[in-house]
Amino acid sequence: ITSFEDQLVLIPLTEENCTQEQLESLHGKFNVGTDILAELIEKLSVISANWIKSCSPYKKCPKDVGDTLELELGIPVNNLGNADYKGEVELKTKRSSSKTADTLFSQVPDWNLSPIKSVREMILTYGYESRHPKRQGFKDLFVTVSVKPNPQGLILFVDYDNEQVKQFYVEGENKTITAIWGFEVLHKRLNEKHPKTAWLVADEEVIDGEIHFMYSKLEISQKPIFAQFLSLIEQGLICFDWRGGSEIDGKGRVDKGHAFRLKSPKNRPLLFGEIYSVKLK
């Protein structure tokens, strides 16, 4: 189902005029990673029955809930761009008390297309003096950019004609392009990170003075829809977070990862073609 010149168009996907080979040429191979997903769910079902000691049992850190799970699954620490579990399933974890947005993927702008040429330049140009006690002489840029100007005057815009997502700096009636992401790269990153995604929620408890997690809830999503990714940016439901700092007169820097994020878990069905809950216990 699509539209053309304000008319609703229905295309019959019958075997006579639409073969599996043609569909897979557009959408990729069907049922790839099904066995790997089943294997992961079985492992998670076993893990879910136990309190797992945190990889950092005496100090609470936001990423510990994910690092602990990967350690328990035997996944080595890496910064690869593809999915976490055997390259087929992305793992996303949160504490049950967390109200944070879903991080989809990290991706800096295309510096060859952008007027701003680096993360450092972005921070020094549009950041603010750091308020962190250990970062005197730094500028920070920890902000969310969406379809409405934020306190730094930054705003996102989807340019379909040029197939780009653009970030503008807005001052009064004036708008200045600061950064550009091409559709092709964003489409690739979305598919790389989320062919299948396991969204896990963990309870947290201190046992004998050590932090432990119990991974109690699981939701599986697959088949991300890039057209919806762009639409959700336009609706303000997907945003971009700058999360870093840079020393003004030196080389010191802080990088927490600059990423596109989905504002609420309840919006996941709008981004993925398939999504369902799995009972672990």
Side-chain angles (χ1 to χ4, degrees):
I1 302 175
T2 185
S3 62
F4 179 71
E5 294 183 350
D6 296 325
Q7 296 288 321
L8 183 65
V9 180
L10 306 179
I11 304 172
L13 302 183
T14 60
E15 290 185 6
E16 293 79 20
N17 61 17
C18 188
T19 66
Q20 181 170 326
E21 181 180 0
Q22 290 171 322
L23 287 173
E24 289 186 345
S25 70
L26 291 172
H27 302 290
K29 294 290 184 181
F30 297 163
N31 300 321
V32 173
T34 301
D35 292 342
I36 292 175
L37 179 59
E39 173 188 293
L40 174 63
I41 291 174
E42 184 176 351
K43 288 184 177 181
L44 292 173
S45 295
V46 173
I47 291 173
S48 69
N50 304 295
W51 284 101
I52 309 298
K53 186 166 72 172
S54 171
C55 61
S56 178
Y58 304 109
K59 184 178 180 181
K60 188 170 181 175
C61 181
K63 67 186 186 72
D64 287 346
V65 64
D67 289 350
T68 300
L69 178 63
E70 292 188 7
L71 184 65
E72 189 70 14
L73 292 171
I75 300 173
V77 176
N78 65 73
N79 293 314
L80 299 178
N82 56 352
D84 298 314
Y85 190 76
K86 297 187 176 180
E88 294 291 344
V89 186
E90 178 73 0
L91 298 173
K92 291 292 185 182
T93 55
K94 283 186 180 181
R95 290 170 170 85
S96 56
S97 60
S98 174
K99 304 297 182 183
T100 60
D102 290 341
T103 298
L104 296 173
F105 57 85
S106 297
Q107 183 61 49
V108 296
D110 185 332
W111 303 124
N112 292 321
L113 297 175
S114 303
I116 295 292
K117 297 301 181 184
S118 68
V119 170
R120 174 178 168 80
E121 184 181 347
M122 182 69 204
I123 293 171
L124 294 183
T125 304
Y126 295 102
Y128 49 85
E129 287 188 15
S130 179
R131 295 181 286 271
H132 194 285
K134 294 183 179 180
R135 293 204 291 273
Q136 293 185 6
F138 274 66
K139 272 196 173 183
D140 283 350
L141 189 62
F142 288 85
V143 295
T144 294
V145 188
S146 188
V147 290
K148 294 182 179 180
N150 66 12
Q152 303 306 112
L154 301 173
I155 187 172
L156 286 184
F157 174 75
V158 180
D159 182 348
Y160 289 97
D161 291 337
N162 293 298
E163 298 189 347
Q164 295 172 341
V165 173
K166 295 177 176 177
Q167 178 186 259
F168 287 88
Y169 170 66
V170 179
E171 187 175 26
E173 298 297 319
N174 299 318
K175 289 200 308 182
T176 305
I177 295 177
T178 60
I180 296 172
W181 295 263
F183 280 9
E184 184 177 354
V185 170
L186 295 177
H187 193 178
K188 180 181 178 183
R189 291 289 290 127
L190 181 63
N191 287 329
E192 280 177 347
K193 290 298 285 184
H194 295 282
K196 291 176 173 59
T197 305
W199 306 89
L200 287 125
V201 175
D203 296 322
E204 180 180 341
E205 189 168 313
V206 177
I207 302 173
D208 296 329
E210 297 178 324
I211 298 170
H212 288 68
F213 300 113
M214 180 177 282
Y215 299 89
S216 55
K217 295 180 181 178
L218 171 63
E219 191 171 67
I220 299 294
S221 66
Q222 54 189 350
K223 300 181 181 177
I225 304 167
F226 185 63
Q228 284 294 95
F229 175 84
L230 299 175
S231 177
L232 291 170
I233 291 177
E234 293 182 298
Q235 296 174 59
L237 299 178
I238 286 179
C239 55
F240 184 80
D241 278 4
W242 291 101
R243 298 180 294 187
S246 189
E247 193 174 11
I248 297 171
D249 296 320
K251 296 182 179 180
R253 69 186 184 98
V254 176
D255 189 340
K256 301 290 186 179
H258 313 287
F260 284 92
R261 307 180 82 193
L262 185 66
K263 286 194 172 182
S264 172
K266 70 181 181 181
N267 299 133
R268 290 173 193 161
L270 301 176
L271 179 60
F272 297 97
E274 294 182 14
I275 189 162
Y276 56 93
S277 297
V278 176
K279 189 174 181 180
L280 291 175
K281 301 180 188 177

